[in-house]
Structure formats: structure tokens, C-alpha cells
């Protein structure tokens, strides 16, 4: 009589599948505290490339455009890595991801996602086309601009709603979701010449104008709240959040850049004379850039004061990059429309500051990733005023 072969345990395939997991558990645990603020390095890296390519006389500097394109390629790689990492974060740490979304202190950083998408997309048309070709650059920008604009508009409504419902002390990070539409307004005009003439071009141009107004007026509402927090003695701004004061430069510099792009494109899209559009851009941009320089000096002084009081490195240092970069592009735009050499010098000086800020933030970020400190859980926030120097991640 034949003996039946022993049955293979049904649990074997399941056990084998467990041993072939694509990611180790340590890696998944490290992603638990990967918040949306990590998109800030993408923005800061992308603006180094696009701002450098638009500097006065940039075409005459050998190798500068290649370096700028390399920065854009790095920002694209960072964006892809972060999108994958954040997807894993939502899959494996859904509770933490939802907690970030409901937290008034963390939710504003979803504006960084929108700005990272649009910044990398705009960089594809400015410098990325040198390496990937114009058709691929237009397609990539269209996808990233569309996704970034949708995310930005949703964040511009949902995050302020959350802040109203849940409350909390005003912070410069509150500006992030309302600045995102301004980035779309400044970079959207790059796509206008690649659209069919007529309704398509006019619709995108008018949409960018609407986002310009949306973001500008929302910033005018938010900025007084930030100023009130600065002079408050009851709830002073924590030292670790001091670098976020630079975020106010974002809507100022980006709106000046957007006004310059509107002036360049308006005569071909709407019935406005070139001279009138250029004059409007200058009349708007020069006063705004003057206030931006005032804010830069104030924020810089407060950062130096916080540094003397023990402010250490945190991811908020990336606030030194993208907002300053928007001032570079704004000053360069004004220089083109006025022909004033002093504005060209200002753009170059601000770009030097941008590169220095990026170098410092990037070096410390790499060091923090290697040590594991930046991906560790946030330290408990004590109630006493003294420990407010604790780092935020």
C-alpha cells in the first residue's frame, strides 16, 4: 500500500514572504517621524538652480548653468525619494500621519509639498530642459505644476480652517499654506507660451493672477499675527522657530517675481501694452522688495540673537533658503525691467547668501541623517519657558 506524501505546511509560503520583505523594520521605524517639513530641502535645492540661472550676466559665467542644472537634478531626485518615503510613512505609520495632519503646528508644512512640486516643475523649464529636452521638460512641469497647484489650493483652505478650529499660538509657519499659491502664480507663466493660443493661454494666465491675489491678501492677514507673536511677552517665539521668520520673505520675493513674469507675458495674452505692464511690475515690486530687505535685516538680527542664546540646528534652518531665493529672482526681475545696476548687484549678493545658507543647512542635514538624530522622535515640549530651545524636527 502506497504511503501518502506528507502535506506541506500551509504556513510555509507566508513565512517565506515575511523573510522577503522589501524594507527592514528598522527602516520603517525610522520613517515614523518623517513629517511634511522634509519637503523644504527640495524647495531650497531647486531654487539654487533656478535663481542662479536667472542672475544678471549668468550666461557669461562658464559652467554656471551646468551647476544650476545639477542642483535641479538633485532636487528632482530628492523629491522622488521623499514622495516614496512619505507614501511608506502613510502606509506603515498611518496613525502618526493622521496626527501630523490634525496638528496645527505640523499641518502648515503641507504647503512645502505643494511648493516642492511646483519648484521642481518650474526648474525643469528653466534649466532642466538642457539635460532632458524641451518636450520632456514641458510634460514634467505640466504634471508637477498641476499637482502642486491642486495641493497648494487645498492646503490654503484646509490648513487655515484647522488653525481656526483648533487654535494655537501664531507662528511664521502659518504662512506656508498661503504662500503655496503664490509659487504657482510665479511659475505658472512659464507654461503659458507652451499652450495653444486663445482660451488655454488666457485661462492659465488669469488663474495665475487669481492665485497671486489669493496668496497676497492671505499673507496680509497672516503677517500681522506673526508680528504680534514677536512682540508678545506672554508667548515668546521658541528659539528653534526663529529661522522660520525668513518665511515671510517668500510671498514678498515670489510676488515680485510673479509680477515680472506677468509683465513679460501680458501683452501677448491680454490687451495690455508692454510699457504699462512693465511699469505696473516695477511700481509693485520696488516697494515690496524694500520691505523684504527690511524684514531680512530684522529676521537676521533675531536669528543671530537666538544663536547666541543657544539655538541649535533643526530642519527650520531650511527656511533660510527658498525664501531668500525668491528675493533673488525678484531682484533679478526688477533689474531686467528697470536696467538699474544696483538691483543686479542686489540679486547677486542675495544669491551668495542663498548658496551659503544652502551649504550650511545641507551639511548639517546630512550629518543629522547619518547620526540618526533628525529622524528620531521629537523631544517632549516642556511647559516651562526655559526649555523652549529644544529642537523641533
Amino acid at each position: 500500500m502506497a504511503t501518502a506524501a506528507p502535506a506541506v505546511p500551509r504556513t510555509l509560503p507566508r513565512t517565506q514572504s515575511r523573510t522577503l520583505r522589501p524594507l527592514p523594520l528598522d527602516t520603517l521605524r525610522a520613517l515614523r517621524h518623517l513629517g511634511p517639513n522634509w519637503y523644504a530641502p527640495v524647495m531650497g535645492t531647486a531654487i539654487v538652480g533656478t535663481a542662479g540661472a536667472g542672475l544678471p550676466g549668468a550666461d557669461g559665467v562658464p559652467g554656471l548653468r551646468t551647476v544650476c542644472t545639477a542642483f535641479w537634478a538633485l532636487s528632482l531626485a530628492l523629491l522622488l525619494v521623499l514622495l516614496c518615503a512619505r507614501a511608506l510613512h502613510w502606509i506603515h505609520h498611518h496613525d502618526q500621519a493622521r496626527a501630523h495632519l490634525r496638528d496645527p503646528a505640523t499641518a502648515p508644512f503641507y504647503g512645502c509639498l505643494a511648493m516642492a512640486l511646483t519648484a521642481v516643475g518650474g526648474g525643469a523649464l528653466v534649466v532642466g530642459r538642457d539635460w532632458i529636452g524641451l518636450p520632456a521638460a514641458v510634460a514634467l512641469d505640466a504634471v508637477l505644476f498641476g499637482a502642486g497647484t491642486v495641493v497648494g489650493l487645498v492646503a490654503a483652505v484646509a490648513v487655515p480652517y484647522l488653525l481656526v478650529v483648533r487654535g494655537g499660538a501664531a507662528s511664521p509657519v502659518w504662512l506656508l499654506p498661503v504662500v503655496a499659491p503664490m509659487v504657482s502664480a510665479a511659475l505658472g507663466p512659464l507654461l503659458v507660451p507652451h499652450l495653444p493660443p486663445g482660451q488655454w493661454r488666457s485661462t492659465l494666465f488669469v488663474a495665475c493672477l487669481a492665485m497671486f491675489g489669493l496668496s497676497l491678501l492671505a499673507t496680509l492677514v497672516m503677517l500681522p499675527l506673526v508680528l504680534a507673536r514677536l512682540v508678545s511677552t506672554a508667548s515668546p517665539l521658541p528659539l528653534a522657530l526663529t529661522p522660520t521668520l525668513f518665511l515671510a520673505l517668500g510671498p514678498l520675493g515670489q510676488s515680485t517675481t510673479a509680477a515680472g513674469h506677468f509683465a513679460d507675458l501680458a501683452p501677448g495674452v491680454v490687451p495690455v501694452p508692454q510699457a504699462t505692464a512693465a511699469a505696473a511690475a516695477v511700481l509693485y515690486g520696488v516697494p515690496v522688495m524694500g520691505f523684504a530687505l527690511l524684514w531680512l535685516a530684522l529676521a537676521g538680527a533675531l536669528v543671530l540673537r537666538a544663536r547666541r542664546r543657544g539655538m541649535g540646528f533643526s530642519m527650520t534652518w531650511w527656511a533660510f533658503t527658498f525664501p531668500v531665493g525668491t528675493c533673488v529672482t525678484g531682484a533679478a526681475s526688477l533689474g531686467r525691467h528697470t536696467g538699474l545696476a544696483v538691483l543686479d548687484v542686489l540679486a547677486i549678493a542675495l544669491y551668495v547668501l542663498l548658496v551659503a545658507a544652502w551649504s550650511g543647512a545641507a551639511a548639517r542635514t546630512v550629518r543629522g541623517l547619518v547620526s540618526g538624530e533628525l529622524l528620531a522622535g521629537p523631544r517632549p515640549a516642556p511647559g516651562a519657558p526655559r526649555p523652549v530651545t529644544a529642537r523641533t524636527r
Side-chain angles (χ1 to χ4, degrees), residues 8 16 39 53 55 76 79 83 95 99 113 125 154 157 170 181 185 222 241 257 269 279 296 312 339 365 369 382 384:
V8 178
Q16 289 179 343
Y39 288 106
L55 287 175
L76 176 60
L79 177 63
L83 288 175
D95 59 328
L113 168 59
L125 277 182
V154 171
V157 176
M222 291 286 190
L241 289 180
T257 304
V269 180
L296 176 63
T365 300
L369 283 172

Side-chain angles (χ1 to χ4, degrees), residues 199-214:
Q199 289 291 323
W200 285 100
R201 288 187 181 181
S202 299
T203 299
L204 179 57
F205 186 81
V206 170
C208 290
L209 280 174
M211 289 187 288
F212 177 93
L214 179 160

